[in-house]
Amino acid sequence: MRIDEAAEAYARHLADVRRLSPATVKAYRSDLAALAASCGDIGLPDVDLEHLRQWLWESVQRGEARSTIARRTAAARGLFAWATEEGYIPTDPSLRLIAPKRGRTLPKVATADTLDQVLTRMAAGAAQGDPLALRDHAILELLYGAAVRVSEVCGLDIGDVDHDRRTARVLGKGSKERVVPFGLPAQRALDAYVVRARPQLLARRTAGGSEHALFLGARGGRIGPRAVYDVVARELGPELGGAVGPHALRHSAATHLLDGGADLRAVQEMLGHASLGTTQIYTHVSSERLAASYRLAHPRA
């Protein structure tokens, strides 16, 4: 069996059996395609530890991030562990493959005042009645108000939102469903979009399949993550001084919740984190901000 053949079979296993998210499966596919290219024409049973180390060293030489190399290490380990269990290879060459330690990078967070200014400006633009402006305002209000992922927003259907209870049912990583609350500003923006903008966008649809989608693109189909990235980058990027994506709104929401005294486990549940340790990074963000304020304000700092 060739490496690329094994990689494709393993990717199907991740999607169909382990039910990992499409984004995770796509990333693993890309990593293992790079491994196959690095190893050349040798078969899967002929790959040894040195081949794997050389492949990772090539990533290091290209200046790839530690997190990327760590993910590639995990992809290789997963592939060879699976291949060993399935009997495709007699021994696992990745057992002694060591991943680099991930450096802790604090997420980029916007202040509450900054987000208030951005969303107020977007609300003023939406008031003019342009359907895309109404949609974009509703999306950013929901990204921040419910602390959801971009994939979760794009996957929402009309029936997933309870406007009376101000909750949305989202499908997170690993196909795990959860219900998240959102505030009155997000409700108002969503109501305005659904009533005034969505019918206009739906009328532009040229193909089927999007009639139940909540957020629609300019041509009437379900909006994709790339379009949401572009909106966030345009509206929030100048305020944060650089490239910024939808996750910045999720980071900001989590940090502001903890700053306001929310319970860490409640925030974990709202974000849909499997591990409390993932949520705890936002306590570090809050601590960093407190320390910065202390250094600026306290006379004996």
Side-chain angles (χ1 to χ4, degrees):
M1 175 179 280
R2 298 198 313 267
I3 301 173
D4 57 345
E5 294 174 332
E8 183 56 33
Y10 177 57
R12 290 195 298 270
H13 168 78
L14 294 178
D16 300 338
V17 179
R18 294 185 55 187
R19 302 187 66 81
L20 298 187
S21 71
T24 301
V25 174
K26 181 180 179 181
Y28 273 38
R29 266 199 175 101
S30 174
D31 292 337
L32 296 174
L35 172 61
S38 174
C39 291
D41 296 330
I42 65 173
L44 187 71
D46 297 320
V47 177
D48 59 24
L49 180 61
E50 291 308 311
H51 286 115
L52 298 177
R53 285 175 171 168
Q54 176 61 32
W55 170 55
L56 294 181
W57 176 240
E58 291 168 1
S59 297
V60 172
Q61 289 180 311
R62 286 193 296 269
E64 293 179 0
R66 285 187 177 187
S67 58
T68 300
I69 298 171
R71 190 196 66 221
R72 289 190 164 194
T73 305
R77 283 175 170 173
L79 169 65
F80 286 99
W82 168 82
T84 304
E85 291 175 1
E86 295 294 319
Y88 295 126
I89 54 177
T91 58
D92 183 351
S94 70
L95 289 175
R96 292 193 293 131
L97 191 64
I98 299 174
K101 292 183 178 179
R102 297 187 184 217
R104 179 178 290 277
T105 56
L106 298 180
K108 187 175 288 188
V109 171
T111 66
D113 287 342
T114 295
L115 286 172
D116 184 61
Q117 292 171 12
V118 169
L119 293 169
T120 298
R121 183 182 70 235
M122 294 186 72
Q128 303 303 312
D130 178 74
L132 294 181
L134 285 158
R135 181 204 66 187
D136 295 347
H137 179 223
I139 286 175
L140 261 71
E141 286 282 9
L142 193 59
L143 283 169
Y144 177 53
V148 286
R149 302 178 178 93
V150 62
S151 59
E152 294 168 350
V153 164
C154 294
L156 281 172
D157 288 337
I158 283 284
D160 292 331
V161 177
D162 187 328
H163 293 261
D164 295 329
R165 295 184 178 182
R166 294 207 295 266
T167 59
R169 184 175 66 249
V170 298
L171 193 64
K173 289 185 176 181
S175 299
K176 293 179 181 178
E177 189 177 278
R178 71 184 191 282
V179 175
V180 293
F182 54 83
L184 188 58
Q187 182 194 33
R188 289 171 176 163
L190 281 168
D191 288 345
Y193 161 73
V194 169
V195 173
R196 298 169 56 198
R198 188 178 178 277
Q200 295 184 56
L201 295 176
L202 190 61
R204 302 177 185 180
R205 181 166 54 102
T206 57
S210 62
E211 61 272 13
H212 300 299
L214 175 60
F215 291 113
L216 304 176
R219 297 183 180 179
R222 183 184 294 274
I223 197 169
R226 182 70 262 170
V228 178
Y229 267 87
D230 291 342
V231 173
V232 175
R234 182 183 70 239
E235 300 293 342
L236 191 57
E239 305 295 337
L240 295 186
V244 62
H247 232 58
L249 291 159
R250 179 172 161 89
H251 293 324
S252 301
T255 303
H256 297 163
L257 282 166
L258 291 171
D259 284 346
D263 178 73
L264 185 63
R265 289 201 176 273
V267 176
Q268 176 194 5
E269 183 177 349
M270 183 171 179
L271 295 177
H273 287 160
S275 167
L276 189 63
T278 307
T279 315
Q280 283 177 326
I281 189 172
Y282 298 109
T283 65
H284 291 280
V285 176
S286 297
S287 298
E288 286 285 321
R289 290 169 56 160
L290 175 59
S293 298
Y294 173 81
R295 287 191 294 268
L296 287 173
H298 198 286
R300 298 182 71 84

